[in-house]
Amino acid sequence: MSYSDERGYLIPAFNTADVDYVECARTLAKSIRHFHPDVKICLLTSTPVEDSLFDYIRVVEDLGGYENDCQVYANSPFHETVKLEADMILTSPFEHWWTLFRHYDIWVSTGCKNFQGEDSYSRRYRKIFDANQLPDVYNAITYWRVSPMAKNFFTTVKNLFTNWHSVQNSLVYARNELPNTDLAYAVAIEFMGWEYFTSIEGPRITHMKPAINNLSADDWSKQLVWEIISGQTRLNGFTQHGLLHYHIKQLAQDFGECYE
């Protein structure tokens, strides 16, 4: 498999009728460049885009929703890739994590934090994971290097999406469960072996879904005060660290303006 650069960040962003994921990707790229101006960033999308924020723009077919993740491995221009979900911002330096990632052919983040920096023990959004004793992985931060292991993993993920009806029969409480990337990753990792893909060390996203943060509002920005000043992000006075998965996609533009 050929590649154009040694390492970099890949941001998949496929717009829908309701969400401008490319705008989310721009905001994420701005936040990355605030802390690491010289890193390489690739946008993976389905429509041509011109934006100097990105060193590479790869245009591929829109397969629809989560299934687009099946295209990340084959279309990354990097020998080593960190894939990041578009609706996040980087709130502190991140480059030091590459040292950990390189102990693996592929590494997927596990667990998440609330906005106060505490590990989240809420299982509201992970019931099918618990019922099937699947690893608590979050594809929002995924590293891989070009390797047989990584290729095999993404081939397995693609097969899971393609044959989801068969997969449903092997899972508890999955009869009405549609495939999503976290679930497909978890099933693939369970099948291939946890020890090859995850570790208790490593970055965890701060996830802004309501139950994780003990919030009553679906839109956390209606209940919490946020500010981004000189790249430092605070939520209700709590300084954020690492990757903030802000979840409410409409915040992308407002966040992006804070880096200009």
Side-chain angles (χ1 to χ4, degrees):
M1 180 177 176
S2 62
Y3 50 88
S4 303
D5 250 313
E6 189 58 34
R7 74 176 198 180
Y9 297 88
L10 177 73
I11 310 173
F14 295 82
N15 288 345
T16 68
D18 301 317
V19 178
D20 188 344
Y21 281 101
V22 172
E23 184 65 28
C24 294
R26 287 191 177 101
T27 295
L28 174 55
K30 289 176 184 178
S31 70
I32 293 171
R33 294 212 182 277
H34 176 81
F35 294 100
H36 306 295
D38 298 325
V39 299
K40 302 296 184 180
I41 304 176
C42 175
L43 174 70
L44 182 66
T45 189
S46 58
T47 55
V49 174
E50 291 187 9
D51 197 317
S52 60
L53 278 168
F54 305 106
D55 301 283
Y56 299 93
I57 297 175
R58 295 289 172 89
V59 179
V60 297
E61 179 185 0
D62 187 348
L63 301 179
Y66 297 111
E67 194 168 351
N68 282 311
D69 195 83
C70 299
Q71 306 188 79
V72 296
Y73 181 77
N75 289 284
S76 172
F78 309 119
H79 178 235
E80 294 180 272
T81 301
V82 169
K83 184 199 74 172
L84 301 173
E85 286 194 339
D87 55 334
M88 301 196 294
I89 55 171
L90 185 62
T91 66
S92 62
F94 189 85
E95 283 283 282
H96 58 284
W97 287 118
W98 287 86
T99 303
L100 168 70
F101 297 152
R102 285 172 168 158
H103 289 284
Y104 299 84
D105 285 333
I106 179 167
W107 184 92
V108 185
S109 64
T110 305
C112 66
K113 302 180 297 181
N114 62 30
F115 80 93
Q116 295 175 312
E118 303 164 331
D119 290 341
S120 173
Y121 298 101
S122 172
R123 307 308 297 164
R124 178 172 177 180
Y125 310 110
R126 293 267 148 165
K127 293 179 181 178
I128 193 169
F129 287 73
D130 295 343
N132 292 277
Q133 297 184 313
L134 295 173
D136 191 27
V137 293
Y138 286 82
N139 85 96
I141 310 173
T142 300
Y143 161 87
W144 69 85
R145 69 165 60 90
V146 174
S147 62
M149 175 68 81
K151 182 178 180 180
N152 187 20
F153 174 78
F154 285 106
T155 298
T156 301
V157 169
K158 181 177 181 179
N159 289 338
L160 289 170
F161 275 106
T162 302
N163 301 290
W164 186 249
H165 291 299
S166 298
V167 177
Q168 285 176 304
N169 294 330
S170 66
L171 297 176
V172 178
Y173 304 133
R175 178 174 297 179
N176 298 316
E177 190 77 25
L178 296 175
N180 63 69
T181 315
D182 285 344
L183 185 55
Y185 275 35
V187 173
I189 291 170
E190 171 70 14
F191 174 72
M192 297 176 68
W194 295 22
E195 67 274 16
Y196 297 112
F197 301 94
T198 63
S199 64
I200 58 174
E201 302 88 5
R204 292 184 170 186
I205 61 170
T206 297
H207 209 319
M208 292 309 297
K209 283 188 174 180
I212 292 171
N213 294 282
N214 295 314
L215 300 175
S216 57
D218 290 334
D219 182 346
W220 62 266
S221 68
K222 306 298 184 185
Q223 194 169 346
L224 304 179
V225 176
W226 65 268
E227 60 179 351
I228 302 174
I229 300 175
S230 300
Q232 187 172 69
T233 303
R234 296 186 185 90
L235 304 183
N236 264 31
F238 286 88
T239 299
Q240 302 302 298
H241 303 279
L243 284 153
L244 175 68
H245 198 313
Y246 53 87
H247 177 57
I248 304 299
K249 280 68 170 175
Q250 291 73 22
L251 290 171
Q253 184 172 354
D254 289 341
F255 283 0
E257 291 173 356
C258 295
Y259 297 98
E260 295 174 355

